[in-house]
Amino acid sequence: MLITRQDREILRLALPAFGSLVAEPLFLIADYAIVGHGLGTTAVGALGVAGTVLSTLVYLCVFLAYGTTASVARQIGAGNHTRAMRGGVDGMWLAFAIGVALIVICWPLSPAIVELFGAAPGQSAEAVTYLRISLLGTPAMLVVLAGTGVLRGMQDTRTPLVVAIGSFALNAVLNAWFVLGLDWGIAGSAWGTVLAQTIGAAVYLRVVVQGARRAGVSLAPGLSGIKQAGTAGVALLIRTVCLRIVLLVATAVATRLGTAELAAHAIVTQLWTLLALALDAIAIAGQAITGRSLGAGDAEGTRAATRRMVWWGLWSGVLLGLLVVAGRPFFPGVFDADPQVTAELLAVLWVVALFQPISGIVFVLDGVLIGAGDQRYLAWAGVWTTLAYLPVALVAGDLVVLWLALGVWMIARLVTLGGRAYGTRWLVTGG
């Protein structure tokens, strides 16, 4: 099929978005590599505990990016750059406020949070050290999320890619210097990440401040705008919590099944996450394009773009599924899996490949409805699809059935999101 102008716009937004999505997880990967090389196994375990806590906090706050993308894109489409920048400024203030609140709440609770993971005493002390220092960077981390949403809403996904790559490189250099050069221990790793995140946030602040000044928008927080962003964020938070419940239940069931099953599940989950990042890039394009076209009052154009992005999601899923099938015989060797884990992996990878096309459509529709500002429906859909998943997952007697339960969840999401997208209630136009 010929590449159309609409396709080029989708790719213009999706390809840089994919790069920035992949770059962000490299923060912790760089930390693991440097800490493991310089400090040993105990420190790596401590980093694993603290990193899990931090990644969960950031994951739950991803609504700061998604909600801001939708609101800014809609105002851009309506030709109202002043309101777009007002929404962007308020979104970043909300991010900063949530970051400060997380410091206030989690700092004194850090030992108790770490204790929940059952780490050894030496690991617990280092995990608390890393967590407490890293918490100081949460306002910057969340400002980066909101700033990313502002730029995506302005149809700019290249700048977030540049900032993500630059922050990753700086993080690696600072961590190597502090841990290996200055011998600061695990605290050095935390400080390196905090400084890299803070500089990344400063770049976003500069871009947004410049845009606000050009639009004549005050940099002071607007309480009504912050409240509106927070209200929309609650619905997206419910959606995100539902997604997290599904993943946590899957891990808990895999743990119950046995050691080999848990190891295989952990490996396949990392592959699934990588595939999801690839598909999520099209969803991000969907957020930006949908918000802008609805803001411009173009409902038919929105439908046409949605159909085209669904096509991209479907065939991207088909391609990824075929790649999983092609790489299936070699995948266990990458992780030096023992025979029992290998057997589990080879069986589950068929399921992963099977559901990639469905996942591609689901991710696109999710992004389209987020861009349309249909957060309340997404929250309810998240609840119902989770309820459809839980009975199947909880009775799973082997790992293949558990991943088939995840397939049931994706089919439930396809039904709820596809049914909504087929209708017209989400096609709310104007600024």
Side-chain angles (χ1 to χ4, degrees), residues 5 11 14 43 67 83 87 106 166 182 201 214 233-234 248 253 301 310 315 329 332 335 357 367 369 373 377 389 414:
R5 179 180 178 183
L11 291 174
R83 290 186 65 180
C106 295
L182 300 181
R214 285 195 298 269
V234 169
L248 290 174
V253 173
V310 166
W315 288 106
F335 296 90
L369 294 178
Y377 178 82
Y389 158 79
L414 177 64

Side-chain angles (χ1 to χ4, degrees), residues 214-225:
R214 285 195 298 269
V217 173
S218 170
L219 298 177
L223 295 182
S224 61

Side-chain angles (χ1 to χ4, degrees), residues 34 38 173-185:
I34 294 168
V173 170
L174 290 175
N175 279 8
W177 181 28
F178 292 163
V179 175
L180 304 178
L182 300 181
D183 198 24
W184 284 6

Side-chain angles (χ1 to χ4, degrees), residues 243-254:
L243 297 179
R244 200 65 177 179
I245 288 172
V246 167
L247 298 177
L248 290 174
V249 168
T251 301
V253 173

Side-chain angles (χ1 to χ4, degrees), residues 251-401:
T251 301
V253 173
T255 303
R256 184 194 70 196
L257 293 175
T259 303
E261 288 84 353
L262 178 59
H265 176 77
I267 293 171
V268 175
T269 299
Q270 295 308 309
L271 174 62
W272 179 276
T273 301
L274 179 62
L275 298 173
L277 289 174
L279 296 173
D280 203 32
I282 306 173
I284 287 171
Q287 294 174 24
I289 292 171
T290 301
R292 187 198 64 210
S293 58
L294 286 178
D298 187 5
E300 285 305 313
T302 303
R303 277 208 181 278
T306 299
R307 286 193 294 268
R308 200 63 183 173
M309 286 184 286
V310 166
W311 184 90
W312 274 101
L314 171 63
W315 288 106
S316 296
V318 170
L319 176 60
L320 291 177
L322 291 174
L323 288 175
V324 172
V325 172
R328 176 178 167 273
F330 312 101
F331 198 65
V334 174
F335 296 90
D336 195 24
D338 64 38
Q340 190 175 356
V341 174
T342 296
E344 296 288 347
L345 282 174
L346 293 177
V348 172
L349 287 174
W350 285 116
V351 182
V352 173
L354 176 66
F355 285 106
Q356 288 309 300
I358 293 175
S359 298
I361 299 172
V362 167
F363 274 64
V364 167
L365 293 177
D366 193 52
V368 165
L369 294 178
I370 288 174
D374 204 17
Q375 290 95 335
R376 182 175 297 179
Y377 178 82
L378 289 170
W380 280 108
V383 172
W384 290 117
T385 54
T386 302
L387 291 176
Y389 158 79
L390 289 176
V392 185
L394 292 175
V395 300
D398 60 62
L399 200 59
V400 170
V401 174

